Amino acid sequence: MNANWIRTFLLLMLCIGALPVVGQVNILPLRQGMPLYTADQLFDVQILNTSNQLTEGFIVILVQDSRSGQIANLQSRLVTLQAGERITGKLIEWENSFAYNSLSDQLSAERIGLSFAQFKYCYRFVTIDQQNILGEYCYEDAPVNLAPPRLSTPRNTEVIQTINPVLTWLPVAPVDPTKVNYSLRLVEKEIYQSSIEALTTNFPLLDVYGLGNTVLVYPVGGIPLEKDKEYAWQVTASIGDIPVGTTEVWTFKIGEERVAEDVAPDGSFRRLKSSQDGMPYQVESEIRFAYDNYHGSEVLNYRIYEATDLTGSIEKLPNLKLVNGLNQLRIKIKKRFDLDPKEVYMLEVIEPSGKRLYLNFITKDIVE
């Protein structure tokens, strides 16, 4: 073999060996295109050693956005891959995962368009000396355009018949609801004012923060709302301390209480309603209400809960048997129910058709 050709071949091989090796390890993020709020989600990747030799190195993940540049840099501990071995990121030990988790609120806020950030994720498998990249996978995703919260009840400009209205709104979507908190501001509106002017300049009758639910009953112990007066209100959604969406400003007015709709013909049993509004019924020793059983049900399907906590329910409520037609029902208030006189409670009846009927009530201190 020609000596010059051998020298040329050996020189070529040395040059190739000095270059970074790319493509020896395949990296596939399994959550591409999905929001990545936690380190565990970021580490949901698949790693494959495509070579026929043992490979060792580190996995490095870079997270960047178009506004502030690099916002996270995470690295695995030493990873050893046998020839042809495939592993998932969740089986790998990682360094600095807390650093990414601490950014989750910021990322959530930016993701809904607050900063109009474009996120870029780069996954790299680097050699132990971190001089060569054995595999790389990068991709970008855009902010998720989320719908802001929207007011629901009382409806805009509605005249209501209670001084303790149930204020409800629709949540920010789509986003993890546990990451969102709400603030609500309510003011009296003068005739000469616009709704926005009233909300920004008048003294707040209600100004609450950190609400985890999308419902709030105007507190019984709050500044009383007055008949024939108009009120403006608005809700703001936040992730952490960062506002991410605000509703329109709506108004409602307090009118006469509709006693005739709430009380049964004999005047002693409250009628259930199809909405959650209405003046709370004050209970002393028992809840008395009327129910029209047109479904032939034998037992009433109902629950009682705080109006501010739609998920909880009072336990060990009595079974209420029904007859066809009008039923006049009583629920004796027990001390074990642990009802708070300062709270508004909701009696909810669920009919076989799925329709729900309601009765708001408050209690006095129970003495058995």
Side-chain angles (χ1 to χ4, degrees):
M1 185 177 290
N2 186 291
N4 289 333
W5 186 90
I6 293 174
R7 283 196 295 270
T8 302
F9 176 79
L10 292 175
L11 180 62
L12 179 61
M13 293 304 295
L14 287 173
C15 291
I16 292 174
L19 294 175
V21 178
V22 178
Q24 185 173 327
V25 176
N26 284 351
I27 303 175
L28 178 62
L30 300 179
R31 288 179 176 260
Q32 184 174 343
M34 301 170 62
L36 303 178
Y37 294 121
T38 68
D40 283 343
Q41 294 171 340
L42 195 68
F43 300 151
D44 196 3
V45 297
Q46 183 173 275
I47 313 296
L48 173 64
N49 181 8
T50 61
S51 73
N52 59 0
Q53 60 187 17
L54 182 143
T55 300
E56 291 187 317
F58 302 98
I59 302 170
V60 177
I61 304 176
L62 302 176
V63 183
Q64 299 175 303
D65 73 35
S66 58
R67 181 174 61 92
S68 59
Q70 182 173 306
I71 58 175
N73 183 345
L74 298 95
Q75 179 177 306
S76 73
R77 295 185 180 177
L78 182 64
V79 176
T80 300
L81 294 173
Q82 301 296 328
E85 183 179 6
R86 184 195 310 267
I87 63 171
T88 62
K90 291 186 176 181
L91 299 178
I92 299 171
E93 294 186 11
W94 296 85
E95 305 282 1
N96 301 325
S97 61
F98 65 90
Y100 187 83
N101 286 333
S102 67
L103 292 170
S104 62
D105 285 349
Q106 174 192 338
L107 294 173
S108 300
E110 290 182 349
R111 221 171 252 295
I112 71 166
L114 181 66
S115 65
F116 304 100
Q118 181 85 17
F119 286 87
K120 181 176 181 179
Y121 302 89
C122 272
Y123 293 77
R124 292 172 181 165
F125 194 99
V126 300
T127 53
I128 294 177
D129 60 8
Q130 301 199 14
Q131 296 301 307
N132 296 317
I133 300 173
L134 304 185
E136 181 178 56
Y137 190 101
C138 297
Y139 70 93
E140 294 183 354
D141 72 345
V144 178
N145 294 318
L146 300 185
R150 291 181 294 156
L151 300 182
S152 181
T153 62
R155 293 180 297 275
N156 194 24
T157 70
E158 183 179 2
V159 178
I160 63 174
Q161 285 70 40
T162 175
I163 59 173
N164 297 102
V166 179
L167 306 168
T168 67
W169 57 96
L170 300 178
V172 171
V175 70
D176 182 353
T178 63
K179 292 188 172 293
V180 184
N181 63 83
Y182 298 93
S183 60
L184 186 151
R185 187 180 180 91
L186 185 148
V187 302
E188 181 182 338
K189 176 182 172 296
E190 303 291 348
I191 297 177
Y192 59 85
Q193 290 182 308
S194 69
S195 301
I196 296 177
E197 180 186 1
L199 196 78
T200 55
T201 61
N202 293 358
F203 177 80
L205 304 179
L206 198 59
D207 201 8
V208 293
Y209 298 87
L211 299 171
N213 295 321
T214 56
V215 59
L216 178 69
V217 179
Y218 191 88
V220 175
I223 301 174
L225 304 184
E226 299 179 38
K227 177 177 169 292
D228 294 330
K229 288 191 175 182
E230 191 173 11
Y231 299 91
W233 66 298
Q234 185 180 51
V235 170
T236 298
S238 300
I239 295 177
D241 296 326
I242 304 173
V244 296
T246 303
T247 67
E248 296 178 309
V249 181
W250 279 11
T251 64
F252 63 85
K253 192 173 182 179
I254 307 296
E256 292 283 356
E257 184 185 4
R258 293 175 294 180
V259 176
E261 291 188 11
D262 293 341
V263 182
D266 68 355
S268 61
F269 290 82
R270 292 279 171 161
R271 286 283 192 184
L272 302 175
K273 299 170 120 180
S274 58
S275 63
Q276 296 176 326
D277 63 354
M279 171 74 76
Y281 161 43
Q282 189 169 52
V283 174
E284 293 188 10
S285 60
E286 62 181 10
I287 307 169
R288 295 188 294 179
F289 63 100
Y291 175 66
D292 292 312
N293 179 24
Y294 295 120
H295 302 277
S297 301
E298 296 182 357
V299 178
L300 188 70
N301 182 11
Y302 76 103
R303 68 187 187 112
I304 295 176
Y305 53 90
E306 286 186 24
T308 55
D309 182 10
L310 303 183
T311 59
S313 293
I314 304 299
E315 297 181 352
K316 298 182 179 180
L317 293 172
N319 289 331
L320 300 179
K321 294 183 178 181
L322 300 175
V323 297
N324 291 333
L326 181 64
N327 290 257
Q328 294 180 339
L329 303 170
R330 293 178 170 88
I331 302 174
K332 186 172 179 59
I333 300 299
K334 302 286 188 180
K335 210 165 188 178
R336 60 179 168 79
F337 292 165
D338 195 25
L339 302 184
D340 186 346
K342 297 179 182 178
E343 294 288 345
V344 177
Y345 291 88
M346 191 78 69
L347 167 66
E348 179 184 78
V349 172
I350 304 96
E351 297 193 315
S353 63
K355 181 180 179 181
R356 296 171 187 266
L357 301 172
Y358 304 94
L359 175 65
N360 295 345
F361 68 92
I362 56 177
T363 65
K364 292 185 177 181
D365 290 321
I366 305 302
V367 179
E368 295 186 2

